[in-house]
Amino acid sequence: MDILKKIQDHREQEEELKWEGTFSEYLDLLKERPYLAQSAHSRVYNMIKSAGVAEEHDHKRYKFFDEDIYGLDEAMEKLVEEYFHPAARRLDVRKRILLLMGPVSGGKSTLVNLLKRGMEKYTHTDEGAVFAIKGCPMHEDPLHLVPNHLRKDFQEEYGIRIEGSLSPLNTMRVETEYGGRIEDVLVERIFFSEDKRTGIGTFSPSDPKSQDIADLTGSIDFSTIAQYGSESDPRAYRFDGELNKANRGIMEFQEMLKCDEKFLWHLLSLTQEGNFKAGRFALISADELIIAHTNEAEYRSFIANKKNEALHSRMIVMPVPYNLKVSQEERIYEKMIRESDIRDVHIAPHTLRVAAMFTILTRLKESKKASIDVLKKMRLYDGEILEGFSDVDVEELKKEHADEGMSGIDPRYVINRISSTIIKKELTSINALDVLRSLKDGLGSHASISSEDKERYLDFISLARKEYDEIAKKEVQKAFVYSYEESAVTLMDNYLDNVEAYCNKAKLRDPLTGEELNPDERLMRSIEEQIGVSENAKKAFREEILIRISAYARKGKKFDYQSHERLREAIQKKLFADLKDVVKITTSTKTPDEQQLKKINEVVATLIDEHGYNSSSANELLKYVGSLLNR
Ligand SMILES: Nc1ncnc2c1ncn2[C@@H]1O[C@H](COP(=O)(O)OP(=O)(O)OP(=O)(O)O)[C@@H](O)[C@H]1O
Ligand SMILES: [Mg+2]
């Protein structure tokens, strides 16, 4: 019922938004809302901007892309600032074809779809409204009706510059249907829709021998020639090519460089001069944003060919690299799984994260800095704070290799491996080890991996595996500590009290007996030793912590056990060290006694309730960690 109601609401909304009037009434609208006459490029830019822009450390994040594109903030920023924005202001880039260049499955089509769907919605809003000459198959801009010799006056009065001339079809219609009275020509509001072929077009190359230019520019309708008497009567022509239909909006050119050249030249004239040739007519003006995409290999061979120089100089190439952040890659997988038919399979916690680590490692280039190995780089890119590295270092790292993110493993490969494993083995639940194994097995049959890369990738599988081992151990150990957070906080408070007394050369007071006590050196050392703070370095370490606490206090921030990375690690290790034997024995015993069984059940319950496991993945995890600890 709900969905039917929504359909009805939607229909009513559309009905309400409809507008129809004469050209002179349209001009009245423009007096009040001159932005209605904006160009296609400007409308796309305003749509992107209207979703909001966040300023984050010297970068702009355009929220428009948030919903579907993950981890490409910087590429999107470049795209907006270097293409959409200047194009909206009628600068010269508008006259070039926007060519998105990036590796396979890197999100190019997703990006174009986002823009198309966005425009469909945006044209339903007040700011994004589009008006067109009624009954025109190309939904021509009504302002084309203004004769050339009056356009200067028009601009003075309305502040709007008109580009493009009235199409042959509408020129004829003005005469035959309106007796030359431009002011009476009917204008209507249109709403972009790819399905209805309004304002959005898509062209994808097929067999070059059979593909006809008519797909782009329309064709003569032979059945009507008899009626109109001539092939050059525009009424005998069907303006139903993709370029016609996309007028006022967006035209997507898939796999552009696979296309026959003759198609490309049409685009050139369209972008460069704002018009294209169809049938036997004068040039037809069109206003549309042309987005094409291609991969790097095709692009390289395209520019290597001298013959393509002219074409090349009329494109603006924008990179769409792979995402390089582990946590964002995880989101990509989650999204792809949600959209697939394996969405009901239980995926154990950390599974996708570990797969993402592997994938990101294959995409990273080694840093020239000796202090940074790929794992560190991976963490820094993901926004982790590592001691000794600042934001500036991360920016520098990003600048080291211009082509980083243009190669490596693609997200589709990962999802395909996961789903084929699930289906082949009829699994109802899958964990990180299953996935790593499956990724590894698949490398041999991956079409575009050289044997050299394969070696590297196998190393990354082991690296990801090691990361997983650490995660798995921590997870189980945490579940063993009765209320982990609480224990960690208590231990840290205790440590800090002692550190404070030590640094101030003061005594502590026993909360029970009121007796004065010296700082508990053994406790402090037992924690510090976990992270290798030596006897000589302990004083400096303790003082540094106190400084951090007072810095926090000054800023009114609360210092907790997460606030100091190394202290957090020390506390965690200390808690785990105390437990190590219990965990080891409990998880690996084949015949647990009653006590152990109770503990195992408790731990499994914690894993299920608090960490997102199901009973089979929790038990698998315990078994695995047991085997790790006994190695
Ligand atoms: N950065 C990203 N953010 C969100 N999703 C992504 C990203 N990169 C890839 N994907 C997902 O990966 C899949 C493939 O992406 P898409 O089809 O857009 O890539 P493409 O660049 O067009 O690839 P191809 O070269 O194969 O045409 C999609 O499901 C998409 O959602
Ligand atoms: Mg694609």
Side-chain angles (χ1 to χ4, degrees):
M1 231 6 240
D2 210 32
I3 191 71
L4 291 180
K5 173 96 179 67
K6 280 189 181 146
I7 293 173
Q8 189 189 346
D9 285 353
H10 182 76
R11 199 167 47 236
E12 282 168 11
Q13 250 172 12
E14 290 236 310
E15 213 47 52
E16 251 166 55
L17 291 177
K18 275 194 180 148
W19 185 94
E20 185 178 315
T22 60
F23 182 58
S24 79
E25 284 166 331
Y26 175 64
L27 289 182
D28 291 340
L29 278 187
L30 280 191
K31 271 258 156 79
E32 277 173 39
R33 296 157 65 196
Y35 60 82
L36 292 177
Q38 66 189 319
S39 69
H41 289 83
S42 158
R43 201 174 285 109
V44 172
Y45 172 65
N46 283 321
M47 164 184 77
I48 294 172
K49 219 175 53 170
S50 71
V53 189
E55 302 267 350
E56 286 164 5
H57 343 268
D58 293 343
H59 282 291
K60 287 204 171 96
R61 198 185 87 236
Y62 289 89
K63 297 185 187 170
F64 174 79
F65 304 104
D66 281 1
E67 199 179 309
D68 259 338
I69 305 278
Y70 307 143
L72 297 184
D73 292 352
E74 279 156 44
M76 294 305 108
E77 182 185 19
K78 184 174 157 78
L79 181 60
V80 175
E81 315 258 287
E82 291 180 23
Y83 185 77
F84 290 125
H85 190 188
R89 302 180 59 187
R90 302 190 194 231
L91 295 176
D92 216 49
V93 285
R94 170 176 71 123
K95 296 191 171 166
R96 299 209 235 146
I97 296 169
L98 173 59
L99 180 61
L100 303 175
M101 196 258 295
V104 287
S105 296
K108 300 179 296 295
S109 302
T110 309
L111 171 60
V112 177
N113 274 329
L114 193 63
L115 291 168
K116 287 176 171 176
R117 299 294 86 79
M119 281 312 274
E120 290 176 343
K121 273 199 216 140
Y122 193 58
T123 54
H124 283 80
T125 66
D126 278 351
E127 302 76 44
V130 189
F131 293 80
I133 295 176
K134 190 172 180 202
C136 169
M138 282 183 67
H139 3 92
E140 185 162 17
D141 185 347
L143 291 184
H144 287 178
L145 291 164
V146 178
N148 270 324
H149 66 278
L150 295 180
R151 289 190 176 180
K152 212 163 153 261
D153 297 342
F154 178 87
Q155 183 168 359
E156 264 161 36
E157 195 178 336
Y158 288 81
I160 298 170
R161 195 169 94 225
I162 303 174
E163 282 177 283
S165 41
L166 194 62
S167 68
L169 178 63
N170 286 324
T171 306
M172 180 168 230
R173 287 179 62 207
V174 170
E175 288 313 316
T176 54
E177 293 172 31
Y178 297 97
R181 291 181 52 84
I182 289 168
E183 59 275 34
D184 294 344
V185 173
L186 287 179
V187 171
E188 63 178 349
R189 179 166 178 186
I190 57 167
F191 304 96
F192 288 180
S193 155
E194 180 154 34
D195 296 341
K196 295 183 185 155
R197 304 189 72 214
T198 309
I200 293 176
T202 306
F203 185 82
S204 57
S206 55
D207 176 10
K209 278 191 232 62
S210 64
Q211 191 153 39
D212 193 340
I213 203 80
D215 294 354
L216 269 186
T217 59
S219 58
I220 293 187
D221 183 352
F222 288 101
S223 66
T224 56
I225 295 179
Q227 184 187 346
Y228 296 116
S230 143
E231 273 188 34
S232 53
D233 188 310
R235 289 169 300 182
Y237 193 88
R238 286 171 34 173
F239 294 91
D240 63 353
E242 293 301 324
L243 286 178
N244 307 111
K245 292 299 173 187
N247 188 25
R248 316 293 300 283
I250 296 180
M251 160 86 190
E252 175 189 13
F253 222 104
Q254 296 179 339
E255 306 296 341
M256 174 180 217
L257 303 181
K258 287 203 180 81
C259 226
D260 199 89
E261 269 171 49
K262 67 177 188 252
F263 294 92
L264 299 185
W265 288 107
H266 273 277
L267 293 188
L268 282 186
S269 123
L270 176 56
T271 45
Q272 201 70 15
E273 327 294 343
N275 55 38
F276 63 93
K277 183 91 180 123
R280 296 186 178 170
F281 312 114
L283 291 162
I284 297 175
S285 303
D287 170 31
E288 50 200 88
L289 178 94
I290 299 183
I291 309 186
H293 38 96
T294 186
N295 62 45
E296 199 177 15
E298 252 155 26
Y299 178 69
R300 297 260 164 258
S301 73
F302 173 78
I303 51 173
N305 186 346
K306 272 260 175 276
K307 233 174 63 190
N308 293 326
E309 241 166 44
L311 269 168
H312 183 219
S313 70
R314 291 170 196 180
M315 295 173 179
I316 181 154
V317 181
M318 285 284 159
V320 180
Y322 283 139
N323 153 57
L324 296 176
K325 295 182 174 151
V326 174
S327 50
Q328 299 298 328
E329 189 70 11
E330 211 182 334
R331 287 180 70 205
I332 297 177
Y333 302 159
E334 282 164 3
K335 178 183 74 169
M336 291 171 83
I337 287 172
R338 262 201 313 278
E339 289 164 359
S340 77
D341 46 9
I342 54 167
R343 61 180 170 272
D344 297 327
V345 173
H346 170 76
I347 296 181
H350 312 296
T351 302
L352 299 180
R353 186 167 189 84
V354 171
M357 285 179 181
F358 163 70
T359 317
I360 301 296
L361 287 172
T362 66
R363 297 173 185 171
L364 295 179
K365 303 246 176 235
E366 242 164 76
S367 168
K368 295 184 194 91
K369 295 187 185 173
S371 61
I372 295 186
D373 60 18
V374 272
L375 272 178
K376 269 201 187 131
K377 188 169 184 181
M378 176 189 89
R379 297 212 164 89
L380 287 170
Y381 273 18
D382 202 22
E384 271 184 52
I385 296 165
L386 300 188
E387 221 161 278
F389 297 101
S390 66
D391 287 354
V392 180
D393 295 313
V394 181
E395 289 300 313
E396 272 174 20
L397 276 182
K398 286 181 184 164
K399 287 196 194 104
E400 268 185 28
H401 300 276
D403 59 343
E404 193 165 49
M406 283 297 176
S407 61
I409 292 283
D410 60 295
R412 211 178 270 134
Y413 171 74
V414 175
I415 296 302
N416 286 347
R417 291 305 303 168
I418 293 180
S419 41
S420 75
T421 308
I422 287 174
I423 291 164
K424 231 190 306 171
K425 301 194 178 154
E426 297 183 17
L427 301 177
T428 54
S429 126
I430 191 166
N431 64 30
L433 296 174
D434 299 325
V435 170
L436 284 181
R437 204 173 301 124
S438 153
L439 288 172
K440 183 174 164 188
D441 294 345
L443 289 180
S445 51
H446 192 297
S448 55
I449 299 180
S450 67
S451 57
E452 198 179 303
D453 279 344
K454 200 180 152 195
E455 286 303 308
R456 276 177 55 233
Y457 291 1
L458 288 176
D459 287 344
F460 294 144
I461 298 253
S462 343
L463 273 184
R465 161 81 184 267
K466 284 200 193 105
E467 290 291 302
Y468 175 65
D469 290 352
E470 287 309 308
I471 296 173
K473 273 194 272 184
K474 268 189 198 160
E475 187 106 300
V476 169
Q477 285 167 325
K478 266 191 180 181
F480 259 87
V481 183
Y482 172 75
S483 175
Y484 176 82
E485 294 289 308
E486 226 171 88
S487 312
V489 169
T490 312
L491 185 58
M492 189 194 71
D493 283 346
N494 201 349
Y495 174 75
L496 291 181
D497 287 343
N498 281 288
V499 164
E500 205 176 3
Y502 167 87
C503 291
N504 297 334
K505 303 207 167 43
K507 300 250 182 218
L508 289 149
R509 198 170 285 281
D510 188 311
L512 286 180
T513 61
E515 188 188 348
E516 286 209 328
L517 300 169
N518 282 324
D520 185 345
E521 197 53 38
R522 250 189 52 208
L523 172 85
M524 289 188 284
R525 290 303 293 147
S526 73
I527 292 172
E528 290 154 2
E529 276 160 4
Q530 301 292 337
I531 49 165
V533 175
S534 69
E535 188 64 31
N536 288 336
K538 73 180 184 192
K539 186 155 181 278
F541 182 75
R542 292 173 191 175
E543 283 167 356
E544 191 229 307
I545 287 177
L546 280 195
I547 291 171
R548 181 79 66 95
I549 293 177
S550 67
Y552 265 65
R554 256 203 320 279
K555 289 186 203 148
K557 284 204 291 187
K558 191 173 149 18
F559 184 93
D560 63 20
Y561 86 99
Q562 311 267 17
S563 308
H564 191 289
E565 179 61 27
R566 291 188 67 211
L567 180 57
R568 186 181 69 89
E569 194 189 328
I571 297 275
Q572 185 174 52
K573 284 196 169 150
K574 167 74 178 139
L575 282 175
F576 291 168
D578 293 349
L579 264 174
K580 191 163 179 214
D581 292 335
V582 185
V583 178
K584 193 163 147 181
I585 294 165
T586 317
T587 50
S588 59
T589 174
K590 295 232 157 50
T591 49
D593 61 26
E594 203 180 319
Q595 192 76 18
Q596 289 168 330
L597 206 56
K598 191 166 156 255
K599 191 68 200 173
I600 291 178
N601 287 338
E602 255 173 46
V603 168
V604 167
T606 308
L607 289 172
I608 295 174
D609 295 344
E610 289 172 27
H611 300 281
Y613 289 81
N614 70 8
S615 84
S616 96
S617 63
N619 281 301
E620 274 168 11
L621 177 73
L622 279 190
K623 233 193 286 161
Y624 181 61
V625 170
S627 77
L628 282 180
L629 292 176
N630 280 296
R631 261 184 207 163

